[in-house]
Amino acid sequence: GSRHKKGSKGFLRPLVAAHTDVGVITVLLFDNGKCASLQRASSVANVEETNSEWIDVHLPSDSLERDPVFVVNVGDCLSDLSGGHLRSTLHRVVPKKCHNRMKDVVRTCLALFVGLEPSATLTLPRGKQNVTYEEWRKMRIARAAAVLNMQ
């Protein structure tokens, strides 16, 4: 049996649901495991949008044996600070079938979430608003919670 649960339509549910990262950037370190896939939304989408197509993030498999692969995601804070010129990455992690359980390695990922000091002052281009990082983070999490409550 699989350790991954099937959804109502028989599809394997994501291991990590679709989301953007709240902080400034996220640095992901991947190994050469083959039993999960990082996917990004095909279009500039919001978490509220459920009709986005998903694209596998292909990692250079030949270099994974020798060197780690880093993926850097733009977070919501950096997106807001750039006035939307840099977009947060809507992404998720989905299971993939391991064809040979003895040979295929389970994927492992290490994530480093980069934020700011809670008291750091942010000047947001939209509305020329000054807020602390902690105030901004609370507002962003409240927006995300409101979306979850609508579903």
Side-chain angles (χ1 to χ4, degrees):
S2 173
R3 66 184 176 112
H4 308 300
K5 304 230 184 268
K6 293 197 182 223
S8 61
K9 296 183 180 177
F11 296 107
L12 290 175
R13 287 188 275 186
L15 299 171
V16 178
H19 67 285
T20 57
D21 295 331
V22 174
V24 179
I25 63 168
T26 302
V27 180
L28 304 170
L29 171 64
F30 283 93
D31 66 7
N32 62 349
K34 296 178 176 35
C35 296
S37 179
L38 174 66
Q39 293 182 329
R40 67 171 181 82
S42 62
S43 62
V44 176
N46 297 316
V47 176
E48 301 92 29
E49 296 178 29
T50 56
N51 59 352
S52 182
E53 289 185 35
W54 293 95
I55 299 170
D56 285 346
V57 175
H58 294 287
L59 304 173
S61 59
D62 59 334
S63 71
L64 281 172
E65 294 296 326
R66 300 181 311 274
D67 300 311
V69 171
F70 291 93
V71 174
V72 178
N73 284 335
V74 170
D76 297 334
C77 183
L78 183 56
S79 183
D80 281 1
L81 286 171
S82 74
H85 293 287
L86 299 172
R87 303 276 179 141
S88 317
T89 309
L90 180 61
H91 59 285
R92 67 182 186 178
V93 178
V94 295
K96 290 193 137 190
K97 287 197 179 244
C98 290
H99 300 291
N100 181 342
R101 287 196 181 271
M102 300 304 282
K103 190 176 175 188
D104 288 342
V105 178
V106 175
R107 169 154 283 157
T108 303
C109 176
L110 175 66
L112 172 65
F113 300 97
V114 180
L116 299 171
E117 286 288 327
S119 61
T121 300
L122 308 178
T123 302
L124 302 175
R126 294 183 186 158
K128 302 291 184 208
Q129 180 183 5
N130 288 335
V131 296
T132 67
Y133 179 65
E134 183 64 16
E135 291 168 333
W136 175 88
R137 198 178 68 75
K138 287 179 179 177
M139 289 186 295
R140 177 63 187 95
I141 291 169
R143 273 194 339 238
V147 169
L148 290 174
N149 290 332
M150 291 181 352
Q151 295 178 355

